[in-house]
Amino acid sequence: MANTETVIAVGIVGFGHLGEYLAERIQREGASAGLQLAFVWNRSKERLREKLTSDLILDDLTEFTQRGADLIVEVCHPDIVRDFGERFLCHAHFLVGSPSSLSDSTLEGRLRCTAELHGKTLYVPSGALWGGVDIQRLSERGGLKSLLVRMSKHPSCFRLAPPLHHDWSEGEGRHVLFSGPVHDLCPLAPNNVNTMAAAALAAPDLGFSGVTGEIVSDTELSQYHIVEVEVTGHDGFTVTTMRRNPAQLGAVTGSATYQSFWSSILVCKGHGGRVFLC
Ligand SMILES: NC(=O)c1ccc[n+]([C@@H]2O[C@H](COP(=O)([O-])OP(=O)(O)OC[C@H]3O[C@@H](n4cnc5c(N)ncnc54)[C@H](O)[C@@H]3O)[C@@H](O)[C@H]2O)c1
């Protein structure tokens, strides 16, 4: 139970799977969690009008300041982070649901600077990343030598840009579609690499160019996604984790990730002008 004296007004940008889940949950449980809905924005308005009262709908995103949100949650598209991230951070804490957008080092630098300048926190949700805070601590101590995140899913669960999407037609079995720097993978699979992007942000000494991302298509995985994290430190230190994330066929986002986002939002009460994994 949160401190009820501090109510955080939350603006949600994007009303797809995650946005609708979070808006509904804030309306249902927000009072006991110290959260209230300031606004919801989406590019198309039909679904918003079906599900929300008109006072909660923000028609024009450039007018977000009028709603006085303490925290803005982007669950939309990397383009929105690029176009609005700095503006959001001038006025509110900002949870970036599409951290793959930060593989653009110029954008990452600008958001870090704006957060610092305005004393607002740029929150990165851990999503399906297990052990992100441990990775961050190891990285801060200079003890991280290498980091690999491997995401294995049924081919119907990937949304890939060319040339990767041609590999879908290879048929039954397991195929490594990409193995290399997360920086190079983000533009090819922006919706599938947010967990890897969170890992890169947790390990700034390796960053998007130093963290290895692997995506594997596996027709055996009809009921869950697998996320493996391989951490290597000095003097033989290693940690390997494997997470099975239940997911329906065709689902880009595993069902446990919705709960993980909710848990992340509960942390976003303000942690100063910096990047914070939550
Ligand atoms: N951090 C994580 O672990 C994690 C996990 C799942 C999803 N995500 C990311 O969160 C975002 C939302 O995920 P979702 O599953 O709710 O997606 P979704 O496709 O269900 O919803 C996205 C919404 O944004 C809108 N949209 C799409 N492109 C847009 C654009 N260019 N400009 C404005 N609006 C646009 C769509 O109309 C839709 O309403 C995606 O970027 C996704 O990659 C991150």
Side-chain angles (χ1 to χ4, degrees):
M1 176 83 69
N3 176 1
T4 48
E5 285 173 23
T6 318
V7 176
I8 306 283
V10 184
I12 295 186
V13 177
F15 199 64
H17 292 91
L18 275 168
E20 190 168 336
Y21 167 83
L22 293 172
E24 193 271 328
R25 195 145 178 192
I26 291 173
Q27 288 185 292
R28 185 161 38 94
E29 296 175 33
S32 58
L35 301 174
Q36 69 182 30
L37 211 47
F39 70 81
V40 184
W41 176 88
N42 197 58
R43 185 170 54 177
S44 57
K45 305 286 183 271
E46 293 80 14
R47 184 105 180 130
L48 287 179
R49 292 193 188 108
E50 268 173 44
K51 293 282 177 180
L52 298 169
T53 53
S54 58
D55 57 313
L56 292 174
I57 299 171
L58 180 66
D59 285 320
D60 181 349
L61 190 53
T62 62
E63 295 177 357
F64 75 92
T65 52
Q66 295 175 9
R67 300 300 182 102
D70 303 300
L71 169 69
I72 295 181
V73 175
E74 175 276 322
V75 273
C76 192
H77 191 276
D79 286 355
I80 294 293
V81 182
R82 182 197 63 209
D83 296 342
F84 283 90
E86 279 175 278
R87 277 185 262 180
F88 291 158
L89 277 168
C90 290
H91 300 276
H93 304 300
F94 176 36
L95 183 137
V96 57
S98 308
S100 65
S101 56
L102 302 185
S103 67
D104 172 348
S105 57
T106 308
L107 178 62
E108 182 191 348
R110 289 205 322 254
L111 294 189
R112 282 183 186 273
C113 279
T114 310
E116 198 178 333
L117 191 65
H118 293 272
K120 302 295 185 191
T121 309
L122 176 61
Y123 288 103
V124 179
S126 49
L129 179 67
W130 196 258
V133 171
D134 300 291
I135 292 168
Q136 195 168 29
R137 285 190 191 133
L138 192 63
S139 172
E140 280 166 4
R141 292 201 306 267
L144 186 61
K145 271 177 68 182
S146 72
L147 177 57
L148 178 143
V149 182
R150 181 181 301 111
M151 181 83 73
S152 304
K153 298 184 181 186
H154 189 272
S156 66
C157 299
F158 285 114
R159 302 282 177 274
L160 306 174
L164 286 185
H165 78 285
H166 293 303
D167 294 349
W168 288 26
S169 57
E170 283 183 5
E172 297 289 310
R174 182 180 186 278
H175 302 279
V176 177
L177 301 183
F178 180 95
S179 182
V182 171
H183 176 269
D184 299 346
L185 181 55
C186 282
L188 301 175
N191 294 311
N192 296 105
V193 294
N194 288 301
T195 300
M196 300 176 191
L201 290 161
D205 50 345
L206 296 177
F208 283 85
S209 299
V211 175
T212 301
E214 223 173 85
I215 52 173
V216 177
S217 162
D218 189 343
T219 49
E220 289 284 301
L221 299 178
S222 58
Q223 293 181 325
Y224 49 85
H225 304 161
I226 293 182
V227 185
E228 292 163 276
V229 179
E230 294 176 10
V231 177
T232 309
H234 295 291
D235 304 323
F237 176 91
T238 60
V239 179
T240 305
T241 62
M242 180 194 277
R243 169 178 172 143
R244 281 196 174 78
N245 213 8
Q248 293 174 347
L249 269 184
V252 181
T253 303
S255 41
T257 304
Y258 291 84
Q259 178 62 45
S260 169
F261 257 78
W262 176 252
S263 301
S264 295
I265 285 183
L266 296 180
V267 172
C268 300
K269 310 276 183 192
H271 289 81
R274 60 182 171 136
V275 175
F276 193 89
L277 198 70
C278 60

